[in-house]
Amino acid sequence: MKKRTWKRAAALAASAVMAFSLAGCGGSNGSGSGSTDATSDGGEKITLNFSFDQGVGEPTQKIVDKFNESQDKIEVNTVILPQDANTVHDDFVNKLAGGDTSVDIMGLDVVYIAEFASAGWLADLGEYLDSSATDAMIEGTVAAATYDGKLVAAPWFTNSSVLFYRTDVLEELKAEVPTTWDGWMELADKAVGINGVEYGADFQAAQSEALVTNWVEYVWGNGGDILDESGAPIINSEENIEATEIMKKLVDEYAPEGVTTYAETESEDVFKQGKCFFIRDWSGFWSSGQGEGSQVTDKIGATTLPIGPNGTDPHSCLGGLDLVVNNNIDDAHKEAAGEFIKFMTSEETQKEMTLISAQPPVVKSVYQDAEILEEIPFYEDFYGIIEGGKSRPASPQYAKLSDAIQRNIHQALTGEVEVKAALDALQAEAEELSK
């Protein structure tokens, strides 16, 4: 990664984090679906309720306000929920399962799209976002928004993991950036003792969703997968066993002793203290890792995740939120929701949301925008990383599958169970869930 000034982007990200802690000032619970009012030309104004978590509250409210000011046919009210994925998930499930129409549009975590779509809760958005719109988006985000051949969600903003490394240590080693796990481990052996480095690798291996996002990347990077095209589990393949062995080797020989208890915060602290050569983390760490008190400011590079012996292409894990429409609402409100979603996913709005929130956009052209690159120069490197991103398994039983992955893979990494035995057990659980 070229050496660049990062402070403006870091300040932007910091202000965004502060904004996300607010409970969506200016929002309103509004009235339920079916609400109408008179427009200036005597027609009926449709009111939509848009629900999402407070993590993106303030910047989203600004965008919603702009939409409302742009016309007088549709009024969007915001319904702000706590910043907790489980709380948001359960709130939406309770509403949609009961046929509730008090919420028209929702900001839904990408991992729950298949669950909600399989239940028939999500409207088909194909007529609102045609191929010209989806072709402009990062391919992986569109794939994650598609279920049973239908576009049931609109990619809103995304996120992706990145391999960050110490540029000063790499320079001392007079080495190029590796592309394989073997290459990184070879350099890690030499890096210990240089400029305060105590550990080669750092990542998130606690029994949590963070472990799932890490593990699938080893699998994808070694030519494996979790489910085949028909949705059947293929977890205990030779490629996946080998990929998990690579992850365990990093746990045993290269990472801090407590790595199997680390989520993002714990792993980041070690790297910011200057004790580690490289870390796998989410894109936002590029700025937060160089904040006040960090020992590695101006010493962080970024690259794609490595591949294993059987891999050909690196794949980061995608996160983010999609916009979905309640299938219970009437056609007039669905059409209005479609108009709002077209506004939210337009290039202009995506750029504005990125500037005020620092959330990675889904529209590809925004990553090449001169104003964006001036504010967030990291995106010049990040686009090449996120372009190959993939989503976690699209399963209606994702919550249970995730729990099974967390338990079995954590047991393998801690040595409680042999890797092959852990993947055999996980395969059996996944097969049961797919019945």
Side-chain angles (χ1 to χ4, degrees), residues 38-115:
T39 64
S40 59
D41 61 3
E44 287 190 337
K45 188 177 199 177
I46 292 180
T47 298
L48 299 172
N49 289 328
F50 173 28
S51 186
F52 51 90
D53 74 74
Q54 67 183 26
V56 290
E58 186 169 303
T60 300
Q61 187 64 53
K62 291 179 180 178
I63 300 295
V64 171
D65 290 344
K66 183 176 180 179
F67 173 80
N68 288 336
E69 293 165 2
S70 71
Q71 44 73 56
D72 65 354
K73 302 291 186 183
I74 304 168
E75 180 75 20
V76 177
N77 292 325
T78 55
V79 182
I80 314 296
L81 297 174
Q83 190 180 356
D84 177 81
N86 291 332
T87 299
V88 174
H89 169 271
D90 294 347
D91 180 87
F92 291 163
V93 167
N94 291 336
K95 285 184 170 67
L96 299 179
D100 192 301
T101 59
S102 64
V103 172
D104 303 276
I105 307 163
M106 293 153 282
L108 183 64
D109 192 303
V110 294
V111 299
Y112 299 126
I113 298 299
E115 175 190 348

Side-chain angles (χ1 to χ4, degrees), residues 215 218-219 235-252 405 407-427:
W215 177 67
Y218 289 87
V219 167
I235 292 168
N236 58 349
S237 67
E238 290 300 321
E239 292 83 2
N240 292 1
I241 292 171
E242 183 176 47
T244 310
E245 292 282 9
I246 292 170
M247 191 177 187
K248 179 167 172 52
K249 183 174 183 179
L250 288 166
V251 167
D252 292 344
I405 292 172
R407 286 186 285 100
N408 287 286
I409 300 304
H410 194 260
Q411 288 178 341
L413 297 182
T414 58
E416 184 178 342
V417 176
E418 293 293 326
V419 167
K420 185 180 184 305
L423 265 63
D424 286 343
L426 178 54
Q427 174 75 17

Side-chain angles (χ1 to χ4, degrees), residues 93 113 125 214 259 304 316 365 426:
V93 167
I113 298 299
L125 302 183
N214 277 254
V259 71
T304 55
S316 297
S365 59
L426 178 54

